[in-house]
PDB file of all heavy atoms in Angstrom:
ATOM      1  N   HIS A  96      96.645 114.056  81.398  1.00 98.00           N
ATOM      2  CA  HIS A  96      95.552 113.350  82.149  1.00 98.00           C
ATOM      3  C   HIS A  96      94.537 114.342  82.665  1.00 98.00           C
ATOM      4  O   HIS A  96      93.420 113.928  82.971  1.00 98.00           O
ATOM      5  CB  HIS A  96      96.163 112.616  83.326  1.00 98.00           C
ATOM      6  CG  HIS A  96      96.678 113.524  84.434  1.00 98.00           C
ATOM      7  ND1 HIS A  96      97.795 114.324  84.247  1.00 98.00           N
ATOM      8  CD2 HIS A  96      96.233 113.806  85.651  1.00 98.00           C
ATOM      9  CE1 HIS A  96      97.977 115.023  85.360  1.00 98.00           C
ATOM     10  NE2 HIS A  96      97.012 114.731  86.204  1.00 98.00           N
ATOM     11  N   LYS A  97      94.819 115.643  82.770  1.00 98.00           N
ATOM     12  CA  LYS A  97      93.899 116.548  83.421  1.00 98.00           C
ATOM     13  C   LYS A  97      92.509 116.601  82.787  1.00 98.00           C
ATOM     14  O   LYS A  97      91.534 116.868  83.487  1.00 98.00           O
ATOM     15  CB  LYS A  97      94.503 117.989  83.474  1.00 98.00           C
ATOM     16  CG  LYS A  97      95.579 118.144  84.525  1.00 98.00           C
ATOM     17  CD  LYS A  97      95.940 119.610  84.744  1.00 98.00           C
ATOM     18  CE  LYS A  97      96.934 119.786  85.877  1.00 98.00           C
ATOM     19  NZ  LYS A  97      98.302 119.394  85.494  1.00 98.00           N
ATOM     20  N   SER A 200      93.301 118.958  91.002  1.00 97.00           N
ATOM     21  CA  SER A 200      94.038 117.736  91.436  1.00 97.00           C
ATOM     22  C   SER A 200      93.188 117.121  92.595  1.00 97.00           C
ATOM     23  O   SER A 200      92.138 117.574  92.911  1.00 97.00           O
ATOM     24  CB  SER A 200      95.431 118.066  91.881  1.00 97.00           C
ATOM     25  OG  SER A 200      96.173 116.851  92.126  1.00 97.00           O
ATOM     26  N   GLY A 242     102.298 115.795  92.097  1.00 97.00           N
ATOM     27  CA  GLY A 242     102.258 117.208  92.384  1.00 97.00           C
ATOM     28  C   GLY A 242     101.207 117.338  93.493  1.00 97.00           C
ATOM     29  O   GLY A 242     101.484 117.224  94.651  1.00 97.00           O
ATOM     30  N   GLY A 244      98.784 115.103  93.075  1.00 98.00           N
ATOM     31  CA  GLY A 244      98.709 113.648  93.132  1.00 98.00           C
ATOM     32  C   GLY A 244      97.586 112.981  92.380  1.00 98.00           C
ATOM     33  O   GLY A 244      97.262 111.826  92.635  1.00 98.00           O
ATOM     34  N   SER A 245      97.039 113.658  91.341  1.00 98.00           N
ATOM     35  CA  SER A 245      95.857 113.068  90.661  1.00 98.00           C
ATOM     36  C   SER A 245      96.254 112.022  89.650  1.00 98.00           C
ATOM     37  O   SER A 245      95.577 110.976  89.585  1.00 98.00           O
ATOM     38  CB  SER A 245      94.986 114.161  90.040  1.00 98.00           C
ATOM     39  OG  SER A 245      95.661 114.785  88.949  1.00 98.00           O
ATOM     40  N   ASN A 246      97.312 112.248  88.884  1.00 98.00           N
ATOM     41  CA  ASN A 246      97.619 111.186  87.898  1.00 98.00           C
ATOM     42  C   ASN A 246      98.109 109.929  88.616  1.00 98.00           C
ATOM     43  O   ASN A 246      97.850 108.792  88.214  1.00 98.00           O
ATOM     44  CB  ASN A 246      98.604 111.691  86.828  1.00 98.00           C
ATOM     45  CG  ASN A 246     100.085 111.597  87.229  1.00 98.00           C
ATOM     46  OD1 ASN A 246     100.727 110.551  87.045  1.00 98.00           O
ATOM     47  ND2 ASN A 246     100.615 112.653  87.817  1.00 98.00           N
ATOM     48  N   SER A 386     102.169 111.059  82.324  1.00 98.00           N
ATOM     49  CA  SER A 386     100.937 111.900  82.572  1.00 98.00           C
ATOM     50  C   SER A 386     100.672 112.904  81.466  1.00 98.00           C
ATOM     51  O   SER A 386      99.527 113.327  81.278  1.00 98.00           O
ATOM     52  CB  SER A 386     101.067 112.599  83.938  1.00 98.00           C
ATOM     53  OG  SER A 386     102.291 113.325  84.026  1.00 98.00           O
TER      54      SER A 386
HETATM   55  C1  LIG B  23      99.342 119.007  86.348  1.00 89.89           C
HETATM   56  C2  LIG B  23     100.223 117.926  85.898  1.00 89.89           C
HETATM   57  C3  LIG B  23     100.806 117.019  86.796  1.00 89.89           C
HETATM   58  C4  LIG B  23     100.657 117.131  88.266  1.00 89.89           C
HETATM   59  O1  LIG B  23      99.401 116.965  88.796  1.00 89.89           O
HETATM   60  P1  LIG B  23      98.932 115.693  89.604  1.00 89.89           P
HETATM   61  O2  LIG B  23      97.630 116.121  90.193  1.00 89.89           O
HETATM   62  O3  LIG B  23      99.985 115.431  90.605  1.00 89.89           O
HETATM   63  O4  LIG B  23      98.826 114.599  88.633  1.00 89.89           O
HETATM   64  C5  LIG B  23     101.518 115.933  86.279  1.00 89.89           C
HETATM   65  N1  LIG B  23     101.727 115.790  84.971  1.00 89.89           N
HETATM   66  C6  LIG B  23     101.231 116.636  84.095  1.00 89.89           C
HETATM   67  C7  LIG B  23     101.475 116.404  82.620  1.00 89.89           C
HETATM   68  C8  LIG B  23     100.435 117.727  84.500  1.00 89.89           C
HETATM   69  O5  LIG B  23      99.942 118.597  83.554  1.00 89.89           O
END
Side-chain angles (χ1 to χ4, degrees):
H96 70 291
K97 284 192 175 76
S200 188
S245 66
N246 85 87
S386 54

